[in-house]
């Protein structure tokens, strides 16, 4: 034998985030990399029992790399948006101790600990029902839970925004406003809850799925086209 191997523990956390539907839409970015919008937006968060992402994140010294599965199929984690969320949460990670399992993780250990992420949507993905909003909000929230992050929901919404713009609004229930912010670094571009989910109790939203096929134009490219070609977008941004 080559000497004692490190104990192969696994630490897990699970979270669930609902999708949201805009009543004043986010459409168009003023900064593509940081996902900063050209206007404020307001949405209503849907019931997680009907439309939500559920994500389990596991960390273990036995994992050689970060990996992710969406609806049972492995997807690449190399994209800038996933990497931004992972980086920002790891930066804020704190000490974690699980006495029952004999696990002690120092905050600096999180930099070299890899994670496996399994996410599942209970509704069609990329079909226009804001699956990325639910998914990225859930990823950030669950990573934060696993790594004992202390940030408030506003701060978490700002991190989720870097994964998918409208994800920042799925951190809260009820009616939510994404404040576009003014700062170049995006530090003030985050979501705030206007009223909680009990405010308008008899509001019912009916979603009719006419096709669960993936949409032909992604929101990202649709917005880019609008910013580049629409002479009317400037008026929308001024309102």
């Amino acid at each position: 034998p080559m000497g004692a191997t490190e104990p192969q523990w696994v630490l897990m956390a699970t979270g669930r985030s609902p999708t949201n539907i805009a009543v004043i839409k986010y459409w168009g970015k003023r900064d593509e990399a940081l996902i900063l919008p050209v206007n404020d937006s307001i949405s209503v968060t849907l019931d997680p029992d009907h439309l939500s992402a559920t994500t389990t994140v596991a960390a273990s010294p036995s994992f050689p790399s970060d990996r992710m599965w969406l609806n049972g199929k492995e997807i690449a984690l190399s994209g800038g948006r996933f990497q931004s969320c992972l980086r920002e949460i790891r930066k804020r990670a704190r000490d974690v101790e699980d006495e029952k399992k004999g696990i002690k993780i120092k905050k600096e250990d999180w930099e070299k600990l890899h994670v496996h992420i399994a996410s599942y949507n209970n509704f069609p993905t990329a079909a226009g029902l804001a699956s990325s909003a639910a998914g990225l909000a859930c990823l950030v929230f669950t990573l934060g839970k696993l790594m004992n992050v202390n940030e408030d929901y506003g701060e978490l919404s700002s991190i989720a925004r870097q994964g998918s713009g409208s994800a920042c609004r799925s951190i809260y229930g009820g009616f939510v406003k994404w404040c576009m912010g003014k700062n170049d670094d995006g530090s003030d571009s985050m979501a705030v809850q206007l009223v909680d989910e009990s405010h308008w109790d008899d509001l019912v939203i009916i979603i009719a799925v006419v096709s669960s096929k993936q949409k032909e134009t992604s929101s990202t490219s649709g917005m880019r086209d609008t910013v580049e070609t629409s002479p009317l977008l400037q008026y929308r941004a001024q309102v």
Side-chain angles (χ1 to χ4, degrees):
M2 303 201 38
T5 56
E6 208 170 300
Q8 298 304 303
W9 48 263
V10 177
L11 190 67
M12 296 166 81
T14 297
R16 184 171 77 150
S17 294
T19 183
N20 69 76
I21 297 294
V23 287
I24 296 175
K25 198 167 173 56
Y26 145 59
W27 196 257
K29 303 176 182 71
R30 66 181 197 272
D31 185 309
E32 289 257 349
L34 289 171
I35 311 189
L36 302 178
V38 297
N39 62 282
D40 292 346
S41 55
I42 294 174
S43 62
V44 59
T45 302
L46 303 188
D47 184 339
D49 286 344
H50 295 281
L51 289 101
S52 63
T54 300
T55 302
T56 298
V57 184
S60 172
S62 65
F63 296 161
S65 62
D66 294 334
R67 295 173 72 185
M68 181 169 181
W69 292 262
L70 176 60
N71 298 330
K73 204 172 139 198
E74 185 159 12
I75 60 168
L77 256 183
S78 52
R81 294 175 170 205
F82 285 127
Q83 290 303 317
S84 294
C85 294
L86 282 163
R87 183 185 64 248
E88 293 301 318
I89 292 290
R90 277 192 172 114
K91 229 193 274 183
R92 293 163 173 80
R94 301 189 303 157
D95 293 1
V96 171
E97 193 167 347
D98 186 325
E99 283 180 12
K100 269 203 284 238
K101 287 187 172 180
I103 300 170
K104 257 188 180 173
I105 306 169
K106 289 255 179 289
K107 64 177 183 193
E108 55 272 17
D109 295 341
W110 286 111
E111 287 297 335
K112 46 188 192 290
L113 264 179
H114 292 292
V115 292
H116 282 185
I117 302 156
S119 192
Y120 173 76
N121 296 330
N122 67 357
F123 62 96
T125 302
L129 292 171
S131 54
S132 62
L136 271 298
C138 200
L139 175 67
V140 165
F141 180 82
T142 312
L143 280 168
K145 194 169 155 185
L146 180 77
M147 298 185 188
N148 197 21
V149 164
N150 202 21
E151 266 62 21
D152 63 17
Y153 277 16
E155 186 72 26
L156 288 178
S157 81
S158 188
I159 298 169
R161 185 204 78 233
Q162 296 172 57
S164 170
S166 47
C168 71
R169 299 188 310 235
S170 272
I171 294 285
Y172 295 99
F175 283 83
V176 184
K177 179 181 179 181
W178 174 9
C179 304
M180 62 182 279
K182 297 276 179 276
N183 299 344
D184 287 343
D185 67 355
S187 54
D188 59 347
S189 185
M190 58 175 68
V192 292
Q193 187 182 56
L194 298 175
V195 289
D196 72 13
E197 52 276 20
S198 62
H199 173 75
W200 192 348
D201 230 7
D202 54 354
L203 174 69
V204 175
I205 294 172
I206 296 171
I207 306 242
V209 178
V210 291
S211 167
S212 55
K213 279 216 312 260
Q214 203 158 333
K215 57 191 180 186
E216 285 173 24
T217 305
S218 74
S219 299
T220 300
S221 59
M223 282 185 214
R224 196 177 294 134
D225 289 348
T226 305
V227 168
E228 287 170 5
T229 63
S230 170
L232 300 175
L233 188 73
Q234 56 172 316
Y235 300 108
R236 177 192 175 84
Q238 281 164 19
V239 173

